[in-house]
Amino acid sequence: MRVLGIETSCDETGLALYDSERGLLGHCLYSQVKLHAEYGGVVPELASRDHVRKLLPLVKRLLSEAGSEANEVDAVAYTAGPGLIGALMVGACAGRALAYAWDVPAIGVHHMEGHLLAPMLEAQPPAFPFVALLVSGGHTQLVRVDGIGVYELLGESLDDAAGEAFDKAAKMLDLDYPGGPHIARLAQQGAAGRFVFPRPMTDRPGLDFSFSGLKTFTLNTVAEHAGADGLPDQQTCADIAHAFQEAVVQTLAIKCRRALEQTGLSTLIIAGGVSANVRLRAVLEAALAKAGGRVYYARQEFCTDNGAMIAYAGCQRLLAGQRDDLGVTVKPRWSLESLPALTGTPAASS
C-alpha cells in the first residue's frame, strides 16, 4: 500500500509518500519558522493561511521527486489532531479532497501517535513493548506502549510542556524562536555549576511533570543578573542556558528511569521536537546503558513535525482495515488512550 501523509498540526507543512513494501519513497517539508519568528511564537491564523498556500504545490513536488504518479497513491493519511484547529482543518480538508478525487480511502491520524511511531522508520526499530517519552512544544508525556493503539498514559506535564519552556526561556535570554536549538547552542558555552536550577517534581513519587516553576526560576535569575539593557552579560546568559537545559534534561531522565522501573521494561523511545536535543540523548543513553536497557529515537529530520510519521502511522491503520468517512473531523485535543488497538507488530521499513 502506498500512502500519502499530510502533516499540518502547527507551523510545519509536511508531506511524505510511504510504501508498505518499499518503505519511505520521499518526503518534503516547508517550515514557517521565519514567518512566526518576529512574533516569538506561532500565530494560528498565519499558520493556517500558509498551509493553504504551500500544501498542494508540495504534493506535486513530492510526487515528482518520488517518481510517482497520483494514480499510484492507494490512500491518504492526514493529521486530525491534536493541534491548532485551523491548521488541522487545512490538512484534513485537503487530504479528504485528494482521497475523494483519486477515489482512494483516507484516514485521520493522531499527531502524537505519529511521533511515537517515528522511530519505526529507522533500519533498526524498537520492539514492543516499550516506554515512550513524547516531548515537544505542546506535549510532555510518558506512555507505556504494548502495540499500536495499546497505550497507557503514565504521566504528563501539569502545565507547560518541556518544549514550550525552552521557547520561553529563550525569549527571556533574547534568543530567536524556536528556542530549543538556540538554548542548546548557547548552553555549550556555559559553565557547569555556576547556577543550579531545580528539578521540578523529582522529589516526590509519580511520573507527572511541571515546568512552570522552572520557567519562573529562570526569569528571576535573568532579572537578578541583568545589566542596563535588561539582560545579563553574554557569559552569564550562557551559564543560565546551561543550567536551564541541564535542569530540563535531568528532570526528564529521572522520570524516564522511574517509568522503566515502574513498568519493568528496558526499552525507551524518545520522540517529538525536544528528542533532537543532543544533551538529552546523551544522558538517556548513558543511563539506560548502565541499566542494561536501550534508547531509540528517530533521525533528526523526523523528530520535529513531518509527513513521514503520519504516512507510516496511517499506513499501519489502513492495512488493518480502518477508514474514515467523507466527513472531515479534527480534534484539537485528543487522548492517545482513546485510539483503537491494532493486533500484531508491523514490519518496519526505512
Side-chain angles (χ1 to χ4, degrees), residues 311-323:
Y312 177 84
C315 184
Q316 306 313 312
R317 292 193 170 276
L318 287 158
L319 288 172
Q322 292 188 19
R323 304 286 190 274

Side-chain angles (χ1 to χ4, degrees), residues 289-314:
K290 289 181 180 179
R294 184 172 177 183
V295 59
Y296 292 82
Y297 38 77
R299 69 196 79 166
Q300 288 276 341
E301 60 192 327
F302 295 154
C303 289
T304 53
D305 295 349
N306 63 88
M309 67 183 193
I310 301 304
Y312 177 84

Side-chain angles (χ1 to χ4, degrees), residues 61-74:
R61 172 183 151 190
L62 171 66
L63 292 175
S64 175
E65 291 180 355
S68 182
E69 300 293 335
N71 60 12
E72 295 178 299
V73 176
D74 300 309

Side-chain angles (χ1 to χ4, degrees), residues 237-274:
C237 284
D239 295 342
I240 291 173
H242 184 282
F244 172 83
Q245 176 176 257
E246 198 66 15
V248 174
V249 165
Q250 294 296 337
T251 298
L252 294 173
I254 289 169
K255 296 286 186 171
C256 286
R257 290 196 299 267
R258 192 177 293 175
L260 291 169
E261 291 170 0
Q262 180 177 305
T263 59
L265 300 177
S266 60
T267 302
L268 174 75
I269 74 144
I270 52 173
V274 182

Side-chain angles (χ1 to χ4, degrees), residues 139-141 155-162 207-212:
H139 297 82
T140 302
Q141 298 177 326
E156 62 183 338
S157 179
L158 303 178
D159 40 59
D160 291 353
L207 297 172
D208 286 331
F209 302 89
S210 172
F211 294 103
S212 62

Side-chain angles (χ1 to χ4, degrees), residues 9 27 32 51 56 77 93 121 167 201 208 218 229 263 312 327:
S9 66
H27 64 95
Q32 301 176 8
H51 287 311
L56 290 181
C93 289
L121 290 162
D167 287 339
M201 296 184 70
D208 286 331
T218 305
D229 62 352
T263 59
Y312 177 84

Side-chain angles (χ1 to χ4, degrees), residues 92-162:
C93 289
R96 183 65 268 181
L98 287 171
Y100 182 79
W102 295 339
D103 193 24
V104 298
I107 190 167
V109 173
H110 193 293
H111 177 74
M112 297 312 294
E113 181 172 65
H115 274 305
L116 189 153
L117 296 177
M120 297 295 185
L121 290 162
E122 302 306 312
Q124 295 183 319
F128 300 114
F130 52 77
V131 170
L133 171 65
L134 304 178
V135 57
S136 65
H139 297 82
T140 302
Q141 298 177 326
L142 279 166
V143 182
R144 177 182 174 128
V145 181
D146 288 292
I148 295 179
V150 188
Y151 308 130
E152 177 189 357
L153 181 63
L154 302 174
E156 62 183 338
S157 179
L158 303 178
D159 40 59
D160 291 353

